Amino acid sequence: MGMLGVLRTYRHYWRAISMIGLLLVLGAVFETVSLLLLVPIATAVATGNDELNRTIVGITLEAEAVTLVYVAIGAVMAGLATRLLTVYLQARLTVAVERDQRARIYSGFLHATWETQSAEPPGRFQWASNLSAGYANLLSTILNSMKFVINLLTMLVAAVLV
C-alpha cells in the first residue's frame, strides 16, 4: 500500500489524528519548559540565592527560586496530563479503526451473494478480518513515529535556544 492508500485509509480519522498531534506538541512544549527551568533552579540551589535574574531563551526571569519550582512542577504536571490524554486518545483511535475495518469486512461479506460467499476458499474470511488489526497497528506506528519526530524537533529547538 502506497502513501496515498494509507492517507485514504485514515481520511475519516484526520480530526482525531490532528488532535493527537496537537496534544503531542503541547506535551513536548511542557516538557521542554520544565527542562529549561531546571537550569535556573539548579543555579539557585547551588548558589544559595533565592532571587534569580537570569535570561533563558531571550526571556529574563526575575523570580524567586520557589516560584520557578512551582512553575516547573506545573509544567511537569501539565506535560504528564497531556501525555496521558494522548495515550488514551491514541488507544481509542486504534480501537475505532480496527472496529470500523472489521465492520466493513463483515458487512461486505454478509451482503455478498451466496455465489460469491461460497466461492471464497476456507479461511479467507478469517484472514480478511485479521487485516483490520494490521490497519490499527499501522496507525499506531504512524502515531508513534509522529510522537518521535515532534519530541526530537522540540528538543532540538530547546537545545538551540539554550
Side-chain angles (χ1 to χ4, degrees):
M1 175 186 314
M3 183 56 104
L4 191 58
V6 170
L7 293 176
R8 259 190 248 124
T9 301
Y10 302 115
R11 71 178 174 263
H12 300 293
Y13 310 102
W14 70 270
R15 285 186 182 148
I17 293 170
S18 299
M19 178 61 74
I20 289 171
L22 178 66
L23 287 171
L24 287 171
V25 170
L26 280 174
V29 167
F30 286 132
E31 288 175 9
T32 303
V33 166
S34 61
L35 288 173
L36 289 174
L37 288 176
L38 284 178
V39 173
I41 291 170
T43 303
V45 169
T47 61
N49 186 6
D50 285 344
E51 291 290 324
L52 290 177
N53 187 354
R54 185 172 175 116
T55 303
I56 297 178
V57 193
I59 300 170
T60 302
L61 297 175
E62 293 183 30
E64 294 182 14
V66 173
T67 304
L68 290 182
V69 169
Y70 289 139
V71 172
I73 289 172
V76 167
M77 297 303 287
L80 180 63
T82 56
R83 291 297 182 185
L84 289 174
L85 183 58
T86 302
V87 168
Y88 171 74
L89 291 176
Q90 183 175 343
R92 280 188 54 139
L93 181 60
T94 54
V95 167
V97 165
E98 187 170 356
R99 180 196 64 225
D100 294 347
Q101 290 297 323
R102 278 203 178 148
R104 284 183 53 222
I105 291 167
Y106 294 159
S107 177
F109 185 78
L110 292 174
H111 290 96
T113 63
W114 170 248
E115 292 80 24
T116 304
Q117 289 179 4
S118 62
E120 290 297 320
R124 174 77 67 141
F125 182 68
Q126 181 62 40
W127 172 81
S129 67
N130 287 340
L131 286 176
S132 60
Y135 283 107
N137 289 337
L138 179 60
L139 178 63
S140 223
T141 301
I142 290 169
L143 292 174
N144 287 334
S145 299
M146 196 166 77
K147 178 169 49 172
F148 171 75
V149 168
I150 288 170
N151 284 341
L152 179 67
L153 290 175
T154 306
M155 290 301 162
L156 284 174
V157 167
V160 167
L161 292 175
V162 169

